Each structure stands twice: as C-alpha cells, then as structure tokens.
Amino acid sequence: MTLKARRTFTAYMMLVPTLILVAVFTLYPILESFVISFFHWDMISPHKQFVGLQNYLQIFEDPLFHRAVINTLLFVILYVPIVMALGLAVALLLNARIRFRAFFRTAIFLPYVTSIAATGIIWQWIFNGQFGLLNDLLRQIGIQGPDWLNTPQDTMICLVTLSVWQSLGYVSVLFLAGLQNISREYYEAARVDGAHGWRLFRHVTWPLLSPTTFFVLLMSTIEAFKVFLPVYVLYGATDGPNDSGLTMLYYMFTEGFSDYRMGYASASAYILFVIILACTLLQMTLQRRVHYES
C-alpha cells in the first residue's frame, strides 16, 4: 500500500465514528419517519396499519393545518426582513471603531447561546398585560397597552419579537464576518472617487456583502419555517389564543406527542420539508445576483 493510499485509508477510518453517529441519529430517523407517514401508529401499539396516502390527504383537509400554514408564512414574512435589517445595522455598528467594541459584540451574542426555555419566563413577564414591563413602560408615556399574550392580534408580534431578540446576535455575527472579509482597498478606491456615507455603502459594502446576505436569507428563512420554541415558552401547552400561534412545527408536535398520531405527524413533517425545499429553490434563483469576490 502506497503512502497516499495509507493516508486516505486512515482519513476514512477517522471519519467512521462520525458517519455511524450521523447514520444512526440522523439518516435512520429521517427514513423511518418517511415510512411511518404511510401508516396509522399511536407509538404504543407494536402494530402499524398501512393507510397509504390517507395521512397526507387528511392533512390537506384539516382547517387547523391551513391555519398553521398561514401563521407560519406570516411569521416568515415578518421575521426574516426584520432580523436581517437589524442584524446588518448592528453589524455595521460593531464593525465601526467604537469604545468597548468587544463587550458589545459579546453582549449582542449572549441571547443566542442562552436557553430560550429560561429566558421565556422573562418574556412572559415582559408581555404580561397586568404587571408586565412593556405595558408599564407604555403607561409612562400615557399609552394603555393591550393584554399581549391573550390577544390573538398580538400573538405574532410577541413571537417575532422574541425570535428576533434571540437570533439577532447570530445574524449580526454573520454580517460582521462578511464586513470584515471585504478588502479595505475597495473603500479607499471609492473614497478617492468621492464616495462617502450612503454611496459608499450602496456601491461598495452592499454588493460585496451579497454572499453573506444570501446565506443569511437562506438560513433565516429555514429557521423561521421551523419556529416552535417561542410558541411553546410563551404559551405552554396551548398554541396561543384562538390558534393564533399555531405553526406547522407546533402542529406536527401536537399531532405526534399529544394526540399520538405519529403517522399523521410524520406526514406533516414531510409536507413542511417540501415547502422549505420549494422556498429554498426559489431563493436559489437569486444566486445569479450574488457578487463573489474573485
């Protein structure tokens, strides 16, 4: 065996433990859930009843599923632009030469690595209609705030606010990495040509930041479609007043682990996968506008 062959063999052998873990805990559950989606199974009985496409057909006839799709799409439409815009703004500030820059970078990232289950209690207090912090601040300026957690019209505001707060640090770090990857030579050349302020951002920063922006758009959209924890930590075992917080992932969770309809839940999971895949492929058409620095 040659030296190159030995090195290749050694490399593959070092990958084997990781590949086994991926196969057992990722690939197998994915394939098994796809098979289960064609059965009726309550997770208790050892026998599964084959029903073919019946689970998929029933899902599309379920009004709650339609509500979950609408709520999820509304969340995506609100969450993605807000978190991207705020993330870029924060990244621009953190990239500037300001005092205590390292401290602010750490502080903005802390919510992302903090358990949302723990911080959810704080947000329940913030949004509390009677003695919550948010309504107390509104009363200071003469505004009577609503009962945020018990008003259907305000459910999406609460979910988006909590999700943006949690993910802002991660998005900001991605944009900050993209900003620091832009060569200073472009800015120097643009300033020689008289570009400053907004023109500098529009004609230099924004085009060269397009690969990072594209990546953040993809990842934020995928994460938005999978929203679950904000609903669970704010509303517990419910999905908000009048199902106003029912999302596709929460719908799948309820069907599988509350109603014990695992085949039905598996089918809804693959419908969610198809929707995410379609949105991702649609976003991939924007890749031709991405400027990759050579």
Side-chain angles (χ1 to χ4, degrees), residues 15-260:
L15 289 174
V16 166
T18 301
L19 294 176
I20 292 176
L21 291 175
V22 171
V24 173
F25 295 104
T26 301
L27 296 181
Y28 173 73
I30 290 175
L31 295 176
E32 182 67 14
S33 65
F34 181 70
V35 174
I36 292 175
S37 69
F38 298 102
F39 290 82
H40 276 322
W41 185 44
D42 58 5
M43 294 194 304
I44 301 175
S45 172
H47 303 290
K48 303 181 182 72
Q49 179 186 358
F50 180 76
V51 295
L53 296 175
Q54 182 178 342
N55 287 328
Y56 291 91
L57 297 177
Q58 288 182 353
I59 288 176
F60 286 111
E61 296 174 357
D62 188 357
L64 279 179
F65 177 75
H66 299 163
R67 183 63 183 271
V69 172
I70 293 174
N71 287 343
T72 303
L73 290 176
L74 179 59
F75 179 85
V76 172
I77 293 172
L78 293 175
Y79 167 80
V80 174
I82 292 175
V83 76
M84 289 187 64
L86 291 179
L88 178 57
V90 171
L92 289 171
L93 291 175
L94 295 179
N95 195 44
R97 295 181 179 178
I98 58 176
R99 297 183 62 184
F100 308 111
R101 185 169 58 177
F103 168 78
F104 289 120
R105 288 179 178 179
T106 303
I108 198 66
F109 193 72
L110 277 179
Y112 184 73
V113 296
T114 303
S115 172
I116 191 174
T119 56
I121 300 175
I122 299 176
W123 281 98
Q124 286 179 344
W125 165 64
I126 292 175
F127 287 126
N128 188 280
Q130 297 180 352
F131 51 84
L133 176 63
L134 181 56
N135 279 356
D136 184 61
L137 294 176
L138 291 176
R139 281 192 291 269
Q140 301 299 323
I141 57 176
I143 299 177
Q144 181 62 39
D147 190 358
W148 297 96
L149 295 178
N150 295 311
T151 307
Q153 294 81 1
D154 298 324
T155 299
M156 203 55 61
I157 297 176
C158 297
L159 295 179
V160 171
T161 301
L162 173 55
S163 300
V164 169
W165 172 83
Q166 184 196 18
S167 303
L168 182 61
Y170 174 71
V171 174
S172 300
V173 168
L174 292 178
F175 275 123
L176 182 61
L179 289 171
Q180 293 181 344
N181 196 44
I182 299 176
S183 175
R184 308 307 302 178
E185 296 178 356
Y186 294 106
Y187 291 106
E188 294 172 0
R191 290 190 181 95
V192 170
D193 292 336
H196 297 280
W198 168 250
R199 292 183 60 189
L200 199 64
F201 173 81
R202 178 182 177 184
H203 296 290
V204 179
T205 304
W206 184 244
L208 295 178
L209 199 61
S210 56
T212 304
T213 305
F214 179 68
F215 175 77
V216 172
L217 175 63
L218 284 178
M219 299 305 297
S220 298
T221 303
I222 292 173
E223 289 301 317
F225 271 108
K226 298 189 300 179
V227 59
F228 170 77
L229 277 179
V231 182
Y232 194 78
V233 300
L234 287 181
Y235 298 99
T238 68
D239 51 24
N242 298 332
D243 301 317
S244 56
L246 180 64
T247 62
M248 295 182 68
L249 201 60
Y250 198 95
Y251 175 87
M252 178 184 68
F253 170 80
T254 303
E255 293 295 334
F257 298 100
S258 295
D259 298 337
Y260 300 104

